[in-house]
Amino acid sequence: MSKVHVKKDDQVFVLTGKETGKTGKVLRVDPDKGRVLVEGVNVVKKHKKPRGRNQQGGIIEQEAPVDASNVMLVCSKCKRPSKTGRKFLENGEKVRFCKACGEIIDTIRQART
Ligand SMILES: [Zn+2]
């Protein structure tokens, strides 16, 4: 089970570092390293070698992963960067919810049938 509190396609808010205050969409999560790749955040320039006849070399810009603890989920309901919690519903479903407004964000595990 991943300890990372955000998932792919989550909208997140950057808490620390030079990108503080930025928001972006999670492109990729690396649960083993606890790192996330966020669209438009921590963009680094990379030198690219020419490959083949039709591809030019040059500098490309690409996101580098940031530590998952540096980002916070932006709640789709209250639009605020919020802490998330996990809880079980009465039907046994496990969900992720926003601690600010209480809204259920998504289902982690379906109810047993
Ligand atoms: Zn909320």
Side-chain angles (χ1 to χ4, degrees), residues 29-94:
V29 175
D30 185 342
D32 294 330
K33 292 183 182 143
R35 294 172 85 79
V36 292
L37 198 67
V38 185
E39 194 174 38
V41 169
N42 202 23
V43 175
V44 292
K45 288 189 169 71
K46 280 188 175 173
H47 293 270
K48 200 176 174 193
K49 283 179 187 161
R51 203 182 297 157
R53 248 177 304 168
N54 303 321
Q55 212 181 350
Q56 284 190 328
I59 296 168
I60 54 158
E61 295 194 335
Q62 207 175 49
E63 288 92 352
V66 296
D67 203 276
S69 63
N70 292 349
V71 302
M72 207 175 221
L73 182 82
V74 177
C75 174
S76 55
K77 178 82 177 178
C78 63
K79 308 288 180 200
R80 283 184 293 178
S82 344
K83 285 189 175 161
T84 55
R86 290 166 185 213
K87 66 179 178 185
F88 287 97
L89 301 181
E90 274 177 27
N91 64 4
E93 205 173 81
K94 193 177 183 186

Side-chain angles (χ1 to χ4, degrees), residues 7-11 25-28:
K7 300 202 302 192
K8 188 174 180 289
D9 295 329
D10 274 352
Q11 200 71 22
K25 194 175 83 172
V26 175
L27 300 174
R28 205 169 63 216

